Amino acid sequence: MPGTTRKRSVKTGLPPGSLIHIGQRHAEKTKIQLCEYDESRFQERESHSLEGVRPLPDGTAVAWIHIDGLHEIPLLEQMGSVFGLHPLILEDILNTEQRPKSEDHGEYLYIVLRLFHEDAGGGLISEQVSIVLGPNWLISIQEKKGSLFDPVRERLRNEKGRLRKAGADYLAHALLDAIVDSYFVVLDKFGEKIETLEETLIDRPSPATLRAIQALKREIIFLRKSVWPLREMLGGLGRSDSPLIREPSVLYFRDVYDHAVQVIDTIETYRDMLSGMLDIYLSSISNRMNEVMKVLTVIATVFMPLTFLAGIYGMNFKYMPELEWRWGYFALWGIMMVIAVFMLIIFRRKKWL
Amino acid sequence: MPGTTRKRSVKTGLPPGSLIHIGQRHAEKTKIQLCEYDESRFQERESHSLEGVRPLPDGTAVAWIHIDGLHEIPLLEQMGSVFGLHPLILEDILNTEQRPKSEDHGEYLYIVLRLFHEDAGGGLISEQVSIVLGPNWLISIQEKKGSLFDPVRERLRNEKGRLRKAGADYLAHALLDAIVDSYFVVLDKFGEKIETLEETLIDRPSPATLRAIQALKREIIFLRKSVWPLREMLGGLGRSDSPLIREPSVLYFRDVYDHAVQVIDTIETYRDMLSGMLDIYLSSISNRMNEVMKVLTVIATVFMPLTFLAGIYGMNFKYMPELEWRWGYFALWGIMMVIAVFMLIIFRRKKWL
Amino acid sequence: MPGTTRKRSVKTGLPPGSLIHIGQRHAEKTKIQLCEYDESRFQERESHSLEGVRPLPDGTAVAWIHIDGLHEIPLLEQMGSVFGLHPLILEDILNTEQRPKSEDHGEYLYIVLRLFHEDAGGGLISEQVSIVLGPNWLISIQEKKGSLFDPVRERLRNEKGRLRKAGADYLAHALLDAIVDSYFVVLDKFGEKIETLEETLIDRPSPATLRAIQALKREIIFLRKSVWPLREMLGGLGRSDSPLIREPSVLYFRDVYDHAVQVIDTIETYRDMLSGMLDIYLSSISNRMNEVMKVLTVIATVFMPLTFLAGIYGMNFKYMPELEWRWGYFALWGIMMVIAVFMLIIFRRKKWL
Amino acid sequence: MPGTTRKRSVKTGLPPGSLIHIGQRHAEKTKIQLCEYDESRFQERESHSLEGVRPLPDGTAVAWIHIDGLHEIPLLEQMGSVFGLHPLILEDILNTEQRPKSEDHGEYLYIVLRLFHEDAGGGLISEQVSIVLGPNWLISIQEKKGSLFDPVRERLRNEKGRLRKAGADYLAHALLDAIVDSYFVVLDKFGEKIETLEETLIDRPSPATLRAIQALKREIIFLRKSVWPLREMLGGLGRSDSPLIREPSVLYFRDVYDHAVQVIDTIETYRDMLSGMLDIYLSSISNRMNEVMKVLTVIATVFMPLTFLAGIYGMNFKYMPELEWRWGYFALWGIMMVIAVFMLIIFRRKKWL
Amino acid sequence: MPGTTRKRSVKTGLPPGSLIHIGQRHAEKTKIQLCEYDESRFQERESHSLEGVRPLPDGTAVAWIHIDGLHEIPLLEQMGSVFGLHPLILEDILNTEQRPKSEDHGEYLYIVLRLFHEDAGGGLISEQVSIVLGPNWLISIQEKKGSLFDPVRERLRNEKGRLRKAGADYLAHALLDAIVDSYFVVLDKFGEKIETLEETLIDRPSPATLRAIQALKREIIFLRKSVWPLREMLGGLGRSDSPLIREPSVLYFRDVYDHAVQVIDTIETYRDMLSGMLDIYLSSISNRMNEVMKVLTVIATVFMPLTFLAGIYGMNFKYMPELEWRWGYFALWGIMMVIAVFMLIIFRRKKWL
């Protein structure tokens, strides 16, 4: 059941700032990827500890620390103390049921949002991504190992362009952009599923179709719950007066905001389409029932009078003159034919046949 | 499927400002129409390159560059560098899934909106129109070749009036006005379709009618998704404090805004009408089922007792006095008639017949 | 089809300010009624041209020019130039699909709103009323000839009271008040129609009832579309800081605003009532179907076992001991009676009879 | 039909400030109750005229004039001139279809709201209460004779507490509090009706239940229409900067506001409950239909094959070996039993029995 | 019936500030728990009277007075006078139908909210918790005896951390956090109930399922009614400029606010899920009806023609040649088989079997 906070209640009674990882525990060891770069230089290394990691002295160089996996709490605590993060932020990073938001803590910005992808079975799963943006450093923390940020890292490696020249705020924008872009992938899959469902709905609707519609609807609700606050958050960043987001980057944040609005538009369109499909489903059930009832009525209306007539001439009255007639039997067949044809003509006129 | 961003995901992983044309590729060569005019002078020429095109020096003359077709990316890049456009704007021009918006970049205003027309099959198709408004120049970019702006060009050629005297902002207004006016054409067609559907609904509703209602509903949603932000955008331009929109033009922008509000009113009315039609459709199915059931019940109620009676006198009991009566058979016919007539009177009273 | 802008598209491609009358052309000649009054004096004359009409010099006297009919465009152009009206206002006056609004043009206020009345067949028709309020003059323009403002003129003639003493702004209020009051007349008729429909719904619902409900619903939507912006507009006038609306009149404008809010409340109540009626209609169809099915089931359940029994004793087996019994036939009748009565008791218990 | 403004249209064409009593005329003579009090003194008298009534000179004493009945217009006019009330206020007092509101006229506050009680038949009726609050006087006007304010008067008589010490604003609060409290009485009755309806819905739903649900729904809408603007108005009073509402009373006005919010919460809950009941009603009709159909199908499915078999052996073919068999008849009975039992087992498995 | 203010009307007619306990009376004696603590010291005692309790002199020590039970009004009055609480606050504490809110009284903040837990039968019950926050004291009042705040007290006893060092505002946050956390417990139970219901809905829907859905829906509405104003209130505290909430605590209040937003998200998701379940329920009833009708129609369509044929050959016409044929009987059986098989093939093709 997506979108519920089933495990949230385990934290009840604990003081705020208690570092307990809420969410599925992932077995792999936490992996840390470190990049340091400025316009002329790019250095990267991979590690399993935070040893030697500290905020860079002021300057043009930018340090990007990316962490995969949340279960090694001491590591997070260490990071918190090195970068001077507030305990509530560490708690939020670990509590993977956060609503997308950004918090301005003066010396750094804390951004949390959700990433969606499909699991093997085609179901929608989500994970939490946290970004802490400092003056010339950026920490990104992902719940599970993923390749989402690889293109950004690739661009850092190769490109001499804007990404290497601009500061940590532009890097933050690049990561947010990558995440919002990943929503389009999910939505494209959605669109395909909806198209398939629509065809099924017209060809052969069944209770399974209804359940599929409902399941998609629920996933859309689940997605929507994340994207609306995301939009709000990105809008806030685009209007932000934090010195951490410098003037030239603001435009780029607004661009991501525009993309988020497009995501929402698409989501709302899908919602409307799914609602319309429910209407079609229900009315197609009614239509089918109508068809069934028409068949029953036609059969009954044709055969009941005929059976009645047959019953009449099956009676054993002593004096029933028709029975004695030479052509009585055949005449009756004729009458029956006339009745049946007459009925069928009436039904044809009523457009029941 | 209109209104979905099916191809949007191809851009995933690319840096912002990547110039990739999203949308159907149109085969024709990009056509550029150049006009330079002031109160006394009007010059126009057509070309396939931007050679010799540059912002005019300050003065009363206005340059209007109209581009049909988006697929020649180098041409757009060239235009971007000549007029000093931000790379994100070039990206937005190419990404034809933009939500209508206007962006104030100080030296120029970027406006993007959608144009709707019907395709051959009566379906609704849309294309993106981008307008970049500078101090004394205006660039308009349309996805496909179209004749929408021809009347404006005609007015420029012939008229000695306001359009020639006023600046680029008034030209922008004229283009926006032409686009919003084109919505009324689309809506008039919509109104006709709805009227036809309504007649069908009353005369001979069928599942096809339902599908037609749903299709119209979806097109209305699609249209609506473009017009609401358009309204917002035009409202913003009418209140704009950008020096690019001069005082005397503001009133004209407000006038276009009023038209957009009228478009929205009409769209909302159509939505309500389509919802009402769905209710009528569903209840008409129920009514028909009722009719069918009544026929079945009348037939069954009349013939079941009669068939039962015929069955009685078809029994082979040794001692059944009625069978011996001289007029038994005819008496039974009489009784049956009475029963049938009695039943029919009851049904007539219940208004089932 | 009310509320649609069917003829709006004829204006596509024309420059703004093009004076084309949109709406039905009314055959009668345009009639102009002129009143000049101050506390001591009241002068009125009727004419077919604007000859001699001009803004009064400053002072206490007020000039009221009332125009019936929109089709004489030169007359309107003349008026525009005499009173210095913006061409867009003249266009709005002629384009009779305006949404109620007020525009402050500094030297004058432009107010446009809709008037509703019933046509001969009980349908709702609307016309546009434009009011231009200057410092000591007021122009009112009505689409069709009507007697709506006669009571105001009568009060001007007879009364020595506030209306003669106060300025043009109070006259504007009097006209707005007359228009909003006319909504109550329309709504009273609506109330009567709804009551009649409700009785029909309980006594003898039919598909025609449903269509009548839908027709009323559509008219309510149509009305609503005009009253909401009217409310907004009146609210704006009540808060206006235009010098044209003087302090003592503001209270009166707020009073009209209160009336408009009452109109909206009534409209919303009617909408809710009509929605409720749809629910009742649908469930009454279901109820009726239930009744029909119960009759069918009772008949079938009673007669099927009996007919089966009759069929049994109509079989021709050589050895069927019951057939030989002296009282077999009568015993069977008895058994059948018992079965029938038993069935009926069961149905009575189930409350199906 | 509650909540409609049926008689409002009689005022059409009259100038604003026309004193015409809209609403039912009540036969009793207008009764005036006068109280003058300060901390040490309490004086009260009853009268049928306003003779000798005038605003008290400044000081600590408070004058409360309570008027029952609206039909004596000269008396109201007299009051208006004694206390210097604006003619629009007198009009609003008489026009008993006012939406709850408060108006700050500088020297006095005008407050109008609605009072609800049940009539003998359990229907909801409402009347209008107007309060005019001056610096040290308060006028309250009720449409009908009622005992609503008796407890307040009683407290004035007996208590040495806050009510006698505080000014007219606190008295206004006491009256508003009494009115809002009376809503709880009405809502409690509503709650009881809803509970009764719910039991009926489960035990024996009928079209009458549906009509009762709809009637309650309409009353709730009617009530709601009064309480939402009441809330708004009380909120405004609690934030008011009028010198007529002194600092220490503000808290009490906010308290009444809180009560109004509770009233709205309860109303919204009832609305949701009534909507849920409609769903239950509709699905219970469908369920019942299902039950009926199952009975019919079981009966038909059991007896049709049996009757067919009986029909077979009632045929008169010359050569039908089974008929000659000694135990044919009994064998057939056996076969029929087996078929019937088999059918019933199938239906039992399908949970239809 | 949760969420209604059934007993609220007993207060009608009483002056504001009347201390009457609304809500169920709980038999146990009021229990008072007193804690005094600062960074180095922790003192607690339990009592049944307020003897010796008074606000501490300014300093770092914090006094927390927790009261279980509301029925001892004199005790509350005493507390009110010791801590200088406004009579309206005492009234609000006793009136246990308060909507969550916070009121800033300058010297203290009054916070009221609701606590939810399940009763023995799985039903949702709620109680009111009031918190009065002074500069260095805090009073918390709970309707019923409960262990909700035990973990906080435990942390006070043991921990040397933030809770002991920070002031009364941080204690208030800790209590609010405990309450909001308890919502997650309730919501987890809800999630389980919904999952169980969903399984039932798919396996064996019944009217009882519908009632269970409606009951859950009502509980969700009930919960929602408390959480929305709670959110608003916590948002207000997070933005509060009261000196009682010191800068370092603000962040913690915002954290609780985030949790409340998560609660609302979950509630809204559950609402959507329950609505979807209603749709599934209704369409599954329709589907079942369809199934029933299909069985009936198949049976009738197969056996009616056969019975008719059997009836034909049961007639007693003198001259019926088929009856004389040697293999007539068997031929008829053959024909009947063919008809039956043919019918079944048709139904199989229509996917009715």
Side-chain angles (χ1 to χ4, degrees), chain B residues 47-297:
Chain B
S47 151
H48 290 290
S49 81
L50 278 169
E51 225 168 285
V53 175
R54 67 188 51 80
L56 296 180
D58 266 19
T60 56
V62 174
W64 172 22
I65 302 109
H66 180 74
I67 300 174
D68 271 326
L70 289 176
H71 40 285
E72 286 184 45
I73 291 168
L75 192 144
L76 284 171
E77 279 173 340
Q78 188 189 347
M79 187 189 71
S81 71
V82 169
F83 289 90
L85 306 184
H86 196 281
L88 282 176
I89 284 188
L90 295 180
E91 192 194 356
D92 280 357
I93 288 171
L94 282 169
N95 177 349
T96 58
E97 301 289 345
Q98 290 303 313
R99 192 184 158 88
K101 63 174 176 180
S102 75
E103 281 178 4
D104 187 348
H105 285 256
E107 283 158 61
Y108 51 84
L109 269 174
Y110 173 60
I111 298 168
V112 61
L113 68 174
R114 302 201 77 72
L115 186 63
F116 288 90
H117 35 84
E118 281 195 324
D119 62 8
L124 196 63
I125 50 175
S126 84
E127 64 180 303
Q128 177 167 312
V129 179
S130 296
I131 293 172
V132 187
L133 169 65
N136 60 348
W137 49 267
L138 185 145
I139 304 166
S140 56
I141 300 144
Q142 211 175 331
E143 218 179 312
K144 298 165 204 162
K145 209 169 268 172
S147 58
L148 182 71
F149 294 151
D150 288 353
V152 177
R153 205 168 284 116
E154 199 55 38
R155 274 161 60 201
L156 274 178
R157 273 189 213 109
N158 304 328
E159 176 189 333
K160 300 283 169 226
R162 195 164 163 75
L163 191 53
R164 284 275 283 279
K165 272 177 273 182
D169 51 350
Y170 191 78
L171 177 61
H173 153 262
L175 300 183
L176 292 175
D177 199 37
I179 290 167
V180 173
D181 272 0
S182 77
Y183 283 72
F184 287 107
V185 181
V186 170
L187 285 177
D188 280 9
K189 293 252 175 69
F190 247 99
E192 278 161 29
K193 280 187 206 161
I194 288 178
E195 259 179 34
T196 314
L197 259 184
E198 280 198 318
E199 277 159 34
T200 317
L201 198 63
I202 290 167
D203 295 353
R204 45 193 145 65
S206 72
T209 323
L210 178 66
R211 267 196 292 277
I213 293 174
Q214 291 289 358
L216 277 188
K217 228 174 160 177
R218 191 170 294 179
E219 290 195 338
I220 278 285
I221 290 169
F222 179 39
L223 205 60
R224 197 170 170 263
K225 228 179 65 173
S226 279
V227 183
W228 275 100
L230 173 69
R231 186 190 104 128
E232 208 177 301
M233 181 257 273
L234 289 171
L237 289 178
R239 285 186 309 271
S240 169
D241 53 358
S242 160
L244 291 167
I245 297 183
R246 274 160 287 218
E247 186 52 32
S249 299
V250 162
L251 222 58
Y252 289 90
F253 279 97
R254 280 201 204 133
D255 193 54
V256 192
Y257 170 77
D258 279 356
H259 296 175
V261 172
Q262 273 182 45
V263 170
I264 285 173
D265 272 3
T266 310
I267 286 176
E268 297 301 325
T269 305
Y270 287 163
R271 279 224 316 170
D272 283 332
M273 286 165 82
L274 287 169
S275 293
M277 284 163 80
L278 195 68
D279 284 339
I280 292 183
Y281 178 77
L282 286 172
S283 79
S284 100
I285 292 182
S286 291
N287 263 320
R288 275 163 183 257
M289 176 110 64
N290 249 352
E291 291 312 307
V292 174
M293 294 308 301
K294 278 179 191 169
V295 168
L296 177 59
T297 304

Side-chain angles (χ1 to χ4, degrees), chain E residues 193-211:
Chain E
K193 279 187 206 163
I194 287 178
E195 259 180 35
T196 314
L197 258 183
E198 281 198 315
E199 277 159 34
T200 316
L201 198 62
I202 289 166
D203 295 352
R204 46 193 144 66
S206 73
T209 324
L210 178 66
R211 268 197 290 279

Side-chain angles (χ1 to χ4, degrees), chain A residues 1 6 8-9 15-16 99 101 210 218 225 278 281 289 293 313-316 323-324 326 329, chain E residues 155 173 184 188 192 195 198 251 258 261 265 269 273 279 283 287 290 293 315-316 318-319 322:
Chain A
M1 191 168 42
R6 300 305 303 281
R8 184 57 182 73
S9 58
R99 192 185 160 85
K101 63 174 177 183
L210 179 66
R218 190 170 294 179
K225 229 180 64 173
L278 195 68
Y281 178 78
M289 177 110 63
M293 294 307 302
Y313 295 103
M315 295 193 296
N316 301 319
L323 296 182
E324 316 295 323
R326 184 65 179 93
Y329 174 57
Chain E
R155 275 161 58 202
H173 153 262
F184 288 106
D188 280 8
E192 278 162 28
E195 259 180 35
E198 281 198 315
L251 223 57
D258 280 354
V261 173
D265 272 2
T269 305
M273 286 165 81
D279 283 339
S283 79
N287 263 321
N290 251 353
M293 294 307 302
M315 295 193 297
N316 300 318
K318 271 255 161 80
Y319 185 65
E322 299 96 319

Side-chain angles (χ1 to χ4, degrees), chain A residues 70-291:
Chain A
L70 288 177
H71 40 285
E72 285 185 45
I73 291 168
L75 192 144
L76 283 171
E77 280 173 340
Q78 189 189 346
M79 186 189 71
S81 71
V82 168
F83 289 90
L85 305 183
H86 196 282
L88 282 176
I89 284 188
L90 295 181
E91 193 194 355
D92 281 357
I93 289 171
L94 282 168
N95 177 350
T96 58
E97 301 289 345
Q98 291 303 313
R99 192 185 160 85
K101 63 174 177 183
S102 76
E103 281 178 4
D104 186 348
H105 285 255
E107 282 158 62
Y108 50 85
L109 269 174
Y110 172 60
I111 297 168
V112 61
L113 68 173
R114 302 201 78 72
L115 186 62
F116 289 88
H117 35 85
E118 282 197 324
D119 62 9
L124 195 64
I125 51 173
S126 84
E127 65 179 303
Q128 178 168 311
V129 178
S130 296
I131 293 172
V132 188
L133 168 66
N136 60 348
W137 48 267
L138 184 144
I139 305 166
S140 57
I141 300 144
Q142 211 176 331
E143 220 179 312
K144 298 164 204 161
K145 208 170 268 172
S147 57
L148 182 72
F149 294 151
D150 287 356
V152 177
R153 203 167 284 115
E154 200 56 37
R155 274 161 60 201
L156 275 179
R157 272 190 214 108
N158 303 329
E159 174 190 336
K160 299 283 169 227
R162 193 164 164 76
L163 190 54
R164 283 276 284 280
K165 273 178 270 181
D169 50 351
Y170 191 77
L171 176 61
H173 153 262
L175 301 183
L176 291 176
D177 199 37
I179 291 167
V180 174
D181 272 0
S182 77
Y183 283 72
F184 288 107
V185 181
V186 170
L187 285 177
D188 280 8
K189 293 253 174 69
F190 247 98
E192 278 162 29
K193 279 187 206 162
I194 287 178
E195 259 179 34
T196 315
L197 258 183
E198 280 198 316
E199 276 159 34
T200 317
L201 199 62
I202 289 165
D203 295 353
R204 45 192 146 64
S206 72
T209 323
L210 179 66
R211 268 196 291 278
I213 293 173
Q214 292 288 359
L216 276 188
K217 227 174 160 177
R218 190 170 294 179
E219 290 195 339
I220 278 284
I221 290 170
F222 179 39
L223 205 60
R224 197 171 170 264
K225 229 180 64 173
S226 280
V227 184
W228 275 100
L230 173 69
R231 185 190 104 129
E232 207 177 304
M233 181 256 272
L234 289 171
L237 289 178
R239 286 185 309 271
S240 170
D241 53 358
S242 161
L244 292 166
I245 297 183
R246 274 159 289 218
E247 187 51 34
S249 299
V250 162
L251 222 57
Y252 290 90
F253 278 98
R254 282 202 202 129
D255 193 53
V256 192
Y257 170 77
D258 280 355
H259 297 174
V261 172
Q262 273 184 44
V263 171
I264 284 173
D265 272 2
T266 310
I267 286 176
E268 297 300 326
T269 305
Y270 287 163
R271 279 225 314 170
D272 283 331
M273 286 166 82
L274 287 169
S275 292
M277 284 164 81
L278 195 68
D279 284 339
I280 292 182
Y281 178 78
L282 286 173
S283 79
S284 100
I285 292 182
S286 290
N287 264 321
R288 273 161 186 259
M289 177 110 63
N290 250 352
E291 291 312 306

